[in-house]
Amino acid sequence: MLSVAAGLWLLLAGAFLAALLVHLGSVLPGGLFQELIRYGKTQSGVVRPWGRLPAAHRAYHFPKRWFSHFYFVSVVWNGFLLLLLGRALFSKVPFPAWLQAVLRALNKESEYQNLGAELSVFLVLELLWLHSVRRLMECLFLSVFSPGVIHLVQYCFGLGYYVILGLTVLSQVSLEVSTVSLSDLVDQARWHQILGILIYIWASCHQFHCHVILASLRRSKSGEVVNLDHSVPYGDWFESVSCPHYFAELLIYVAMGVTFGGWNLTWWLVVLYVLFNQALAAVLCHEFYQRNFISYPKHRKALIPFLF
């Protein structure tokens, strides 16, 4: 039987798959549906800065640059969870009672099903935290955001996403984690953890490079922002797909699944959600490029090279 955490990610994956299929269908619902699946440049009509929106619209739309809030929450929250897990592993300090209750609610099987997974859980949670740190730094010091906006529902979902994600990772460890010794952790080291970390580094480097390419379209060689227009990016994985940074995001989550060792069904449901979520966003961006740039390379796919 699926745990609560697994069921939640399966539900989210199904919701985004349904949204993708509806969008790709011949009849597209408008109104709220379009507002909830689009943000930034993919919004229908003329993209207006948040400050120029009617007062009524500003109440439930926020500047796209507020994406950085998601990563700030993740750095703080998942850093806190990583600290608690580290204390449990290395200082024998049990999880707080409230956290044990939350983890037990998310995965009642964890006490006996995931014994021996402490090192993998620690590594995945650390990779998630490092990913959030990098993305926060990119949002603050590299990215040049368009004047587009995001909907209130998208903003709230983004704030809660990394909170639930970190709890999902932590719920995969036994609540008896405080009894594990350092030698036990060393004995848990496996080849798949090294492979997962290597894939993670490879995908993260490509994602960073793609973000550098996107930022360079709006910056001069000296680093000064010179425009907020949308242009066609070239270089790295952009030669194959319209949204290689989304593809790299998917690979980062796959890398975490490999780090788990491939046994964790809950995490592969997270990966399934990321696949459909990124696929929907990539299709919308791909359509934007095709619609606005007549000479846009026809061989490029939306998300996955040569496939989709």
Side-chain angles (χ1 to χ4, degrees):
M1 184 176 178
L2 291 178
S3 65
V4 172
L8 173 62
W9 291 108
L10 180 60
L11 179 64
L12 287 173
F16 276 88
L17 173 60
L20 176 62
L21 293 177
V22 168
H23 175 74
L24 293 176
S26 58
V27 180
L28 298 179
L32 183 61
F33 175 79
Q34 293 295 330
E35 285 196 59
L36 294 183
I37 69 170
R38 298 175 183 271
Y39 59 85
K41 65 176 177 289
T42 64
Q43 291 169 321
S44 301
V46 179
V47 178
R48 287 182 291 177
W50 179 81
R52 295 183 183 177
L53 290 175
H57 285 205
R58 287 201 300 270
Y60 56 90
H61 287 91
F62 303 110
K64 185 184 174 184
R65 64 178 179 275
W66 284 18
F67 262 67
S68 60
H69 297 182
F70 306 158
Y71 301 113
F72 176 79
V73 168
S74 181
V75 168
V76 173
W77 172 252
N78 291 313
F80 173 64
L81 294 183
L82 188 61
L83 175 63
L84 292 181
L85 179 58
R87 292 177 64 201
L89 290 175
F90 304 114
S91 300
K92 309 305 180 189
V93 179
F95 293 143
W98 63 267
L99 182 57
Q100 292 192 36
V102 172
L103 298 179
R104 190 174 289 110
L106 287 174
N107 187 5
K108 294 181 180 179
E109 311 293 323
S110 62
E111 288 195 58
Y112 60 88
Q113 190 178 49
N114 298 324
L115 289 171
E118 291 82 8
L119 179 59
S120 291
V121 172
F122 181 80
L123 290 174
V124 170
L125 191 57
E126 186 171 22
L127 293 178
L128 175 62
W129 182 77
L130 289 173
H131 176 62
S132 301
V133 170
R134 177 178 63 81
R135 290 294 293 118
L136 177 60
M137 294 300 101
E138 289 175 356
C139 286
L140 295 178
F141 304 110
L142 174 64
S143 299
V144 182
F145 289 101
S146 70
V149 297
I150 55 177
H151 195 277
L152 170 65
V153 174
Q154 296 169 331
Y155 181 73
C156 292
F157 180 84
L159 290 177
Y161 170 75
Y162 284 103
V163 174
I164 299 300
L165 188 62
L167 289 171
T168 298
V169 176
L170 199 58
S171 72
Q172 305 309 298
V173 74
S174 170
L175 295 180
E176 299 299 323
V177 64
S178 59
T179 64
V180 177
S181 66
L182 182 60
S183 61
D184 291 331
L185 289 179
V186 174
D187 291 339
Q188 290 176 22
R190 297 291 185 273
W191 64 268
H192 61 78
Q193 294 157 347
I194 298 175
L195 177 60
I197 292 173
L198 290 176
I199 296 173
Y200 171 90
I201 294 173
W202 173 64
S204 297
C205 288
H206 275 286
Q207 188 179 59
F208 174 74
H209 189 201
C210 290
H211 288 151
V212 170
I213 291 174
L214 289 173
S216 68
L217 297 176
R218 295 176 174 175
R219 293 182 184 273
S220 65
K221 292 184 178 180
S222 63
E224 181 183 358
V225 177
V226 293
N227 70 78
L228 296 178
D229 297 333
H230 295 287
S231 305
V232 178
Y234 291 93
D236 202 76
W237 288 351
F238 279 109
E239 299 303 319
S240 300
V241 293
S242 296
C243 301
H245 45 313
Y246 296 163
F247 179 51
E249 184 83 2
L250 174 62
L251 291 179
I252 286 170
Y253 280 80
V254 170
M256 295 180 193
V258 174
T259 303
F260 266 127
W263 56 264
N264 195 296
L265 174 61
T266 299
W267 191 257
W268 290 118
L269 291 174
V270 173
V271 172
L272 194 65
Y273 155 76
V274 173
L275 170 62
F276 295 140
N277 174 281
Q278 299 298 284
L280 177 59
V283 166
L284 293 171
C285 288
H286 188 63
E287 292 173 348
F288 170 85
Y289 285 125
Q290 291 179 322
R291 185 171 60 250
N292 289 276
F293 300 96
I294 298 176
S295 60
Y296 191 71
K298 297 185 182 300
H299 67 275
R300 289 190 189 181
K301 299 298 183 180
L303 178 67
I304 302 175
F306 311 111
L307 295 178
F308 177 81

